[in-house]
Each structure stands twice: as structure tokens, then as C-alpha cells.
Amino acid sequence: MFTPDLEPLAGSIGLSAAVACLPLLTVFVTLGLLRWKAHFAGLAGLVVALAVAVLAYDMPMTLAGLSATQGFAFGLFPIVWIVICAIWLYELTVTSGRFDDLRRIIDSISDDPRIQAVIIAFGFGGLLEALAGFGAPVAITGVMLLAIGFAPMRAAVVVLLANTAPVAFGAIGIPILTAGNLTGIDYHEIGAYVGHQTPFIALFVPLFIVFLTDGRRGVAQTWPVALAVGVVFAVAQWVSATWISVELTDIIASLAGIAAAVVVLRFWKPTGSDAARERILLARDADLDSGSSGTAPITPAPVSTRTAEAAPLTTQRVLLALFPYLLVIAVFSVAKLWAPVTGFLASTDIAVPWPGLDGNILTAAGSPATTTIYKFTWLSTPGTLLLICGVIVAAVYRVSAPDAARLFASTLIKLRFSALTVGAVLALAYVMNQSGQTITIGTWIAGTGAFFAYLSPILGWLGTAVTGSDTSANALFATLQQTAAINAGIDPTLLVAANTSGGVVGKMISPQNLAIAATAVGLVGRESEIFRKVIWWSLGLLLAICLLVGLQSSVLAWMLP
């Protein structure tokens, strides 16, 4: 029986926290400075986490190893399973030839690639985050941007940045529901507080996307529609989270943002669209010619050539092009929102006490740890729902069973190193959590008193960066945030919400998400480059969240619900 000691080194929380940070530092240094491939960085971090658990925290070596195996299993299923099925669904649309029709439909909204990036990565990506989450938005929108002409690296960075503001309410509000269940605070109240924080990120993300696609010139030429999308998304997220539904917040906000783009483009057109398209395509072609882009899932022909040679878009072609995505929305809406189906799917989940681990680990408070139960969500997981959608799409698109199977097998091969990365990172996270390393770090940060309000989002950012999930970050730190807030005389709901909001900007630097993005656009092995491009965006947005939450605890308390 193992009980974590939060101060294992000389009874010092500061020294213990410094040592507990070593696995994370190992990952970030090897990935960001030494430029190791993500799976090597993840494995190195895992080795350090095991060493710290055994040598510093006196965790039995057997239990530490079993914690790693449970985390690795969770990384493969459901996380990697979701990404496999998401990319396979996309590959089916490419093989059938229907994806080009989808690109032309997007062209009918706007042929400006900068605006298309906003609609796809932010609008459609937000909708996928609302329904599926767990990496599916990054995987699907990454290959969509690749297909409309973006260079792989630029596509990866854009979709990672876009996958921020919607994360707090992703997968039908699971991060917030988790925080509510753990703290006993009404999740509607937590959601309302989050709805007064993340919209300030959403407001600017479309402008950031335009900047990443075409620099300052792009912002100057397209800011009206980018700003409109950001403002409408932010307002819709604020209103829905506060007064309508936490679960439906991202669905409402994403659809409202896309609608705002459509309306604005009816009355206003951006300048420099043709020149921007040429710049983006030239950058893509130069990247491909240099051989530095890796092996992408597809290599699209020039947009102008494809448009000129394509057959006219009939109603039937439009419906068939949209069919996979409408099907995903319909299936996930039924699965997540219709109580009878939701209950049935939940009843199929299988709880597996991890052999040799369950019953042998306690929490720091001395109660039995619940994290030793592995939940095998074979039917309810978004991955299986995407698989079902893929089978239906293959039938409708008349892709033969052998061809569909070959595509699935090729997707598995493409994801082999990404699967190793995700498995290693989740194994690291489980070892850190169950040995007490993560809570030690959180307790040390929480010991700053009233100033903790300014630092509280860092815990959510850290938890999401390690696990790749805002839900997991809340599972780790929500109760810690609540306790620290009560001790410091701060509104506990504010800090629990801050944990969620901090997590949304940590997701883009998670090795798990980096691996998913790299795989989607064909940059496996270059995750360190992607990391170096997004880390500064993540830190900048984290600083903004910290400042906002700190002010909301005092001078801006009037803006909270």
C-alpha cells in the first residue's frame, strides 16, 4: 500500500516541487532545446518520472511500472484510437474525390485562404471540439488546411492555436462537468465563470490565425471578418455559458462564428485575396520541393487548376461533400445530448481495476485512489463513433471494403510514432499523478496566498500540457484550487474556473497534441519545430489569462456572474 508524501525531500515543499518538475523539464528541454523527436522526448520524460517516483517519493518500483502501463494503455485507447478514426474518415473523403468538392464549397463562402483558415480551423474546429474533442479537431482541420494549399508546418501551427478557446467547453462540457463533480460546486456556476474568461481569448484568435497565415498584411486586409468571427464567437460563448447551456456552449458559439463570417462576406470582400493565395501556395510548394515537409497525407494540386477542371457543383455534389461532417455532427449530437442513447453508451463502458495497482495506492489524504480504475469505453468513445461514421461514409461514397481496410491500415502505420509519443506522455502523467509529484507542484504554487489568484491558471496550463486534456487537468487540480482559494479568502469558483481556462492555452504545447498535429500534416519527427513555434503563443495567452483572473479576484470582481 503506497501513500504519496507531498514533501518527501527534507520535509521541504519547495525542494520536493523542484525535483517533481524534472520530468516536465526533461520533456520541454529535449523537445524545445535539444530538438529530439517527440517520442524520444516523451520516453526520456517517462524514465525521469519513474526515477523520481522511486528514488525521491519511495514509490515501489512495481507500482511505478504498473502506473506507467496504465497510462500507456489510456494513451492508446481512447486517445490514439480517436485520432486514427478521425484521419481515416478524412482519407475516405480524399479517396472518393469528394474532399475537393468540400474545398470548392468553402471557396463559395470565400476564396481567400486566410478567411478559409479562420472558418476551418476556428469555426469548424470549434464545432468538432464541442462534439468530439480529444485531438479530433486538430487531426481533421489540419489535413483540411493542407488540402486547400497551406504548407504543412503552417497548417499545424494554425490548428494548434485555433484549438484553444473552445477547449474549456469541449466534448459537451466534460472539463467543466468534471470540475463540478470533484468540487461539489454547481457546474453551471463554474461554466458561467469560465464563460467570463475564455471569450477574451476567442475574441483575438481569428486575428492571430490571419496573422499566422499572411502576416500583418493579412490582418490589415481581412480584419473585419476575422474580428466579426471572434466577437460573435466570444459573445455567444459568454451568453450560452452564462444563461443557456454549458454543454451546448461551443456548438452555439462555433455555428454563430461561422454564420458571422457568411453574413459579413455577403456585404464586404477582403482585398489581396489572389496575391495571398499565390504567396501561400508558393510557400507550400517551396516547402514540398525542399523535402523538409515530411510525407503529407495528400499533396493537393494548385487551387486554380483544380477549380478550372472541376465539374459544376450540383445540389447532390454539395450534399455528398458535406455528408461526412453533417453525419459526424448528427451522430455526436445524438450520442452526447439524447439521454436514452447517452445512457445506453455509458452502460457499455467497462471498468477495469488495473491489475496489481488497484487497491494498492492511496491519495495523499489517505483515501483509496480512483485513478487506478481503467475505463474501457469501447463503444462510447468518440473514436468508435467516428469509426461508425467512417463505415457509413465508405458505403455512401462506394469505397470498397478492401480499399477502406487498406486506408485504415495505412493510417495505423502513419500513426505508429505518434502512438508511441502519446502513450509515453500519458504514462509519464500517470506516474507523476499516482506518485504524488503533480500534487506536490500544485501545493507549492498554491502556497502563495492571495497572489495565488494570479498564478492559479498556471496549474491548469501545466496539467493540460502534461496530459493533453483539460478534463485531466481539472481532475488533477480542481479540488486543490478550491482548497487553496478557501484558505486564501478567494472565491473558490473563480479559481476552479481559472484552472479550466488556463488549460485551454496549455493544450497547444502538449506533446500529445503536437504528435497528433504532426501526424495529420505529415511532419512526424518534427514536433520539436512545431513546439518552438507555438510555445510563445501559449505563454503569451497564459500571461493574459493569469492577469485577467488575478484582476477578477479583486478590482474586476464586478464582471463575474
Side-chain angles (χ1 to χ4, degrees):
M1 188 74 69
F2 171 71
T3 303
D5 180 0
L6 301 188
E7 301 176 351
L9 299 178
S12 169
I13 189 67
L15 178 60
S16 300
V19 172
C21 285
L22 290 178
L24 304 181
L25 290 175
T26 299
V27 173
F28 292 143
V29 169
T30 54
L31 193 62
L33 296 180
L34 301 182
R35 304 187 181 187
W36 288 12
K37 293 183 178 180
H39 53 280
F40 289 135
L43 289 170
L46 172 59
V47 170
V48 175
L50 288 168
V52 172
V54 173
L55 299 177
Y57 282 76
D58 293 326
M59 188 180 196
M61 188 177 298
T62 302
L63 294 183
L66 288 172
S67 294
T69 61
Q70 185 188 358
F72 196 90
F74 182 78
L76 295 183
F77 192 96
I79 304 300
V80 173
W81 176 240
I82 294 169
V83 182
I84 289 171
C85 295
I87 294 181
W88 178 62
L89 177 63
Y90 163 79
E91 294 283 9
L92 288 172
T93 67
V94 174
T95 298
S96 67
R98 297 293 177 183
F99 191 87
D100 190 60
D101 286 344
L102 177 64
R103 183 199 57 75
R104 294 169 61 207
I105 293 170
I106 296 173
D107 280 350
S108 68
I109 299 176
S110 173
D111 61 356
D112 191 306
R114 301 163 296 187
I115 296 175
Q116 290 175 343
V118 172
I119 294 173
I120 292 172
F122 187 70
F124 185 59
L127 192 59
L128 289 173
E129 180 66 36
L131 295 169
F134 297 100
V138 170
I140 293 176
T141 59
V143 290
M144 289 179 73
L145 288 188
L146 200 68
I148 65 172
F150 282 90
M153 182 61 70
R154 187 173 295 183
V157 173
V158 166
V159 297
L160 286 170
L161 177 62
N163 191 223
T164 48
V167 167
F169 299 93
I172 315 298
I174 287 297
I176 294 170
L177 291 171
T178 299
N181 289 335
L182 291 172
T183 62
I185 301 173
D186 185 353
Y187 78 89
H188 295 97
E189 184 178 345
I190 299 172
Y193 273 59
V194 175
H196 286 64
Q197 295 168 352
T198 57
F200 292 98
I201 296 176
L203 182 66
F204 297 102
V205 168
L207 290 169
F208 294 157
I209 290 173
V210 170
F211 177 79
L212 284 173
T213 58
D214 198 31
R216 294 180 181 177
R217 173 170 41 195
V219 175
Q221 293 175 344
T222 65
W223 68 266
V225 67
L227 186 61
V229 171
V231 168
V232 171
F233 185 101
V235 171
Q237 196 177 59
W238 180 302
V239 171
S240 179
T242 307
W243 294 295
I244 301 177
S245 168
V246 170
E247 294 88 342
L248 299 179
T249 291
D250 273 351
I251 296 176
I252 294 171
S254 298
L255 292 176
I258 294 172
V262 173
V263 171
V264 171
L265 291 169
R266 290 286 300 271
F267 303 98
W268 174 88
K269 300 295 180 185
T271 59
S273 297
D274 292 338
R277 186 183 306 108
E278 289 301 320
R279 288 192 296 273
I280 289 170
L281 290 174
L282 285 173
R284 189 277 313 275
D285 293 340
D287 198 26
L288 293 175
D289 290 342
S290 69
S292 64
S293 62
T295 303
I298 58 172
T299 303
V303 174
S304 58
T305 302
R306 294 188 305 181
T307 303
E309 295 175 352
L313 277 177
T314 62
T315 302
Q316 182 182 21
R317 291 177 72 92
V318 169
L319 290 176
L320 283 173
L322 295 175
F323 175 72
Y325 308 99
L326 295 175
L327 179 65
V328 167
I329 293 171
V331 168
F332 277 89
S333 296
V334 171
K336 301 294 185 180
L337 300 178
W338 191 20
V341 176
T342 302
F344 167 73
L345 292 176
S347 69
T348 65
D349 294 346
I350 302 174
V352 181
W354 202 252
L357 195 65
D358 185 57
N360 291 322
I361 290 185
L362 301 178
T363 66
S367 58
T370 59
T371 56
T372 56
I373 304 294
Y374 173 75
K375 186 174 288 188
F376 183 53
T377 55
W378 66 276
L379 185 57
S380 63
T381 176
T384 302
L385 297 179
L386 286 169
L387 177 68
I388 294 171
C389 291
V391 171
I392 297 172
V393 168
V396 172
Y397 281 177
R398 298 182 181 178
V399 178
S400 68
D403 287 343
R406 279 193 292 271
L407 281 174
F408 196 89
S410 68
T411 301
L412 287 175
I413 294 172
K414 288 176 185 176
L415 277 168
R416 62 190 185 280
F417 291 117
S418 298
L420 180 58
T421 300
V422 173
V425 170
L426 266 297
L428 175 153
Y430 268 65
V431 172
M432 289 188 65
N433 296 345
Q434 294 178 346
S435 66
Q437 297 172 55
T438 306
I439 298 300
T440 293
I441 298 170
T443 303
W444 174 68
I445 296 176
T448 55
F451 189 69
F452 178 57
Y454 288 89
L455 302 178
S456 59
I458 295 176
L459 290 183
W461 177 83
L462 184 66
T464 305
V466 173
T467 65
S469 166
D470 203 12
T471 301
S472 298
N474 278 346
L476 288 174
F477 293 128
T479 54
L480 177 65
Q481 297 270 16
Q482 181 185 35
T483 302
I486 293 172
N487 292 338
I490 304 171
D491 182 355
T493 305
L494 173 64
L495 298 198
V496 173
N499 197 78
T500 306
S501 298
V504 306
V505 296
K507 193 164 186 176
M508 72 175 83
I509 62 166
S510 163
Q512 172 187 315
N513 242 28
L514 291 171
I516 292 170
T519 302
V521 301
L523 293 178
V524 175
R526 297 180 62 193
E527 295 87 355
S528 61
E529 292 182 50
I530 303 174
F531 174 80
R532 291 196 303 275
K533 289 182 180 294
V534 299
I535 179 63
W536 303 112
W537 289 98
S538 180
L539 291 174
L541 291 172
L542 175 63
L543 179 61
I545 289 276
C546 288
L547 182 61
L548 175 63
V549 172
L551 293 176
Q552 285 181 334
S553 70
S554 54
V555 296
L556 294 183
W558 55 267
M559 71 181 298
L560 295 173

